[in-house]
Amino acid sequence: MAEVVNLRMARKAKVRAARETDAATNRATFGQTKAERDLTAAETRRRARTLDGAKREP
């Protein structure tokens, strides 16, 4: 026989889990210090510059 589930509690648990995944995404995106963001941006610019410098003209 199946287990009896309180639908109200199940609904709330589902909402809590969705909020937690959103929070984890936001922590990864916005949880950096300004120095870390600047470092990441500088690294991205450096990679783009290196890649552009390695391209051959047609």
Side-chain angles (χ1 to χ4, degrees):
M1 184 145 179
E3 183 179 339
V4 177
V5 177
N6 186 333
L7 294 177
R8 177 180 50 87
M9 292 176 68
R11 221 177 289 124
K12 285 184 178 187
K14 183 178 175 184
V15 169
R16 265 187 232 110
R19 277 193 306 211
E20 181 56 36
T21 57
D22 290 344
T25 304
N26 286 338
R27 280 193 298 270
T29 305
F30 301 109
Q32 296 179 337
T33 64
K34 185 173 181 177
E36 290 172 335
R37 282 194 306 268
D38 291 344
L39 183 64
T40 304
E43 181 67 20
T44 303
R45 286 192 306 272
R46 185 191 64 77
R47 283 191 202 140
R49 216 174 29 249
T50 304
L51 184 60
D52 288 343
K55 288 183 180 176
R56 294 189 293 178
E57 295 297 322

